[in-house]
């Protein structure tokens, strides 16, 4: 998962890109980078900066933005899905985006499912790759294309790639925003000042007093040149092949104040929590028996909207009994010993004993991936003096790896191979040590999100594109 943004026709392009990426920081904390373009009487020049770490500590610094000249720029915050994670800074920077080759800069959010095959084919034709990232394949296809215009070379390249991609391309003349034919990853077109911009999420426009114009549609390429917007459908969504926006953006990834289509992420998450409470009632739990000694506690931050929705629907008391420390990010804490590894969750979360002691706690998290957070937080709430801990997850069991840009393939998926909800509940109950556990059912999760169609492959194994690299 990553965050991307691009802007043109603004004299503060680099500063605004840094601000927009700051609003997308939740999408990736490993590295940040930007490329700017300057058109002057001396010609067209590109400037670049990439560094491991957070936007505020790197890109947004005055001495950095001052060097990124020009009135157009694009940028990227990285959350690696492939490639080295906790390795040396050097490899982190080498694989960091934007990519820049021969007057074309590119940023990519998503994951291609046929990049290995394409890379092999291109290498066979003499192409030499400088990084391990799948996105470089796109640049190579564009660079080696035979069509007369950049727009046509990009279109040709798009017919070759499979998988999930939201792309922004900055060339000598154009800024281009593209979404894959199924619209798996988000991308928004907007106005900032007198110019145009693209970003992964609408919250990136709020931070620069911009204005959202429209989603880039699935299968659409939006070309901005001379401050004019040209929208090209390179692959249409049809009733037989509807769009497949990633459901995990609604559940966890996007910021709650972002909107995707006509849907606000906070409201979607709050409905997920309400559905959890409805299922509780449908199972025959008599919530009236839960009195003043029962509290609904969110695992912050992403469990918050669901917990509020749950408490509201169940008429139970909401209590922010877990405190979250926001400064434990990045790679500032290395855990060399088991003792320190066990303490890791304490970097981020702490239970407020005065609120928890003697209570029956209904703990709400947005998702369970490996079940580690659940186990450690259940244990924490118990040792803070809770009488009972009931764990509720505001999404269905994650049974399958994601090949389209979310890091759910990392490590073991707790619910992998589970046949049904009961089995997943039982497995998480054992793993977490909670008194009771309930995931949300798949049907009600989809209902709460209110998309007419979506990619829910991590919950179902129903992948939206062929997994070509995996099958060959
Ligand atoms: P687990 O501890 O079960 O492996 O992960 C579940 C927790 O991680 C939840 O609290 C959820 O909010 C969070 N989470 C879910 N998906 C992701 C992800 O892709 N990256 C990160 N960093 N956290 C995630
Ligand atoms: Mg969480």
């Amino acid at each position: 998962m990553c965050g991307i943004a691009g802007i043109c026709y603004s004299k503060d392009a680099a500063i605004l890109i840094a601000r927009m990426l700051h609003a997308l920081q939740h999408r990736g904390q490993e590295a940040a980078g930007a490329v700017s373009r300057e058109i002057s009487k001396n010609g067209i020049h590109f400037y670049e900066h990439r560094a491991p770490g957070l936007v505020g500590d790197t890109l947004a610094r005055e001495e950095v933005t001052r060097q990124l000249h020009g009135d157009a720029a694009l940028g990227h915050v990285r959350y690696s899905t492939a490639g080295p994670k906790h390795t040396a800074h050097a490899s982190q920077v080498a694989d960091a985006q934007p990519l820049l080759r021969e007057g074309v800069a590119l940023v990519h959010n998503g994951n291609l499912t046929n990049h290995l095959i394409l890379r092999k084919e291109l290498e066979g034709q003499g192409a030499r790759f400088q990084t391990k990232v799948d996105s470089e394949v796109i640049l190579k296809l564009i660079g080696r294309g035979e069509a007369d215009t950049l727009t046509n070379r990009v279109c040709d390249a798009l017919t070759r790639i499979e998988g999930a991609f939201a792309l922004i391309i900055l060339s000598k003349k154009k800024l281009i925003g593209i979404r894959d034919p199924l619209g798996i990853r988000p991308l928004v077109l907007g106005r900032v000042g007198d110019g145009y911009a693209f970003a992964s999420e609408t919250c990136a426009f709020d931070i620069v007093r911009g204005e959202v114009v429209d989603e880039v549609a699935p299968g659409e390429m939006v070309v901005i040149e001379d401050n004019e917007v040209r929208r090209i459908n390179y692959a249409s969504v049809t009733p037989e092949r509807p769009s497949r926006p990633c459901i995990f953006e609604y559940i966890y990834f996007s910021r709650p104040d972002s909107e995707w289509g006509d849907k606000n992420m906070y409201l979607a998450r709050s409905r997920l929590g309400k559905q959890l409470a409805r299922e509780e009632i449908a199972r025959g739990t008599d919530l009236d028996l839960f009195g003043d000694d029962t509290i609904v506690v969110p695992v912050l931050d992403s469990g918050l909207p669901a917990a509020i929705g749950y408490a509201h629907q169940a008429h139970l008391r909401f209590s922010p009994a877990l405190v979250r420390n926001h400064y434990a990010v990045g790679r500032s804490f290395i855990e060399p010993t088991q003792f320190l590894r066990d303490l890791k969750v304490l970097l981020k979360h702490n239970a407020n004993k005065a609120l928890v002691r003697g209570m029956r706690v209904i703990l709400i998290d947005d998702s369970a991936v490996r079940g580690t957070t659940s186990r450690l937080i259940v244990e924490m709430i118990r040792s803070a003096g809770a009488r009972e801990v009931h764990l509720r997850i505001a999404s269905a069991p994650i049974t399958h790896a994601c090949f389209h840009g979310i890091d759910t393939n990392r490590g073991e998926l707790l619910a992998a191979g589970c046949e049904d909800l009961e089995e997943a509940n039982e497995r998480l109950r054992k793993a977490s040590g909670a008194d009771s556990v309930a995931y949300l059912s798949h049907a009600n999760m989809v209902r709460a999100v209110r998309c007419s169609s979506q990619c829910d492959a991590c919950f179902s194994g129903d992948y939206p594109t062929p997994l070509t690299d995996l099958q060959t």
Side-chain angles (χ1 to χ4, degrees), residues 93 241 455:
V93 176
R241 207 166 182 254
C455 176

Side-chain angles (χ1 to χ4, degrees), residues 293 353 355-360 384-388:
D293 60 348
K353 294 189 186 68
L355 301 186
V356 164
R357 203 173 292 127
M359 290 290 183
R360 177 188 272 149
R387 194 150 54 85
E388 293 169 20

Side-chain angles (χ1 to χ4, degrees), residues 235-256:
S236 310
V237 170
T238 60
E240 300 77 49
R241 207 166 182 254
S243 65
R244 302 280 295 271
C246 166
I247 198 170
F248 215 68
E249 291 274 355
Y250 292 83
I251 292 165
Y252 169 79
F253 228 94
S254 292
R255 235 170 69 160

Side-chain angles (χ1 to χ4, degrees), residues 69-70 94 197 425:
H69 307 282
N425 285 339

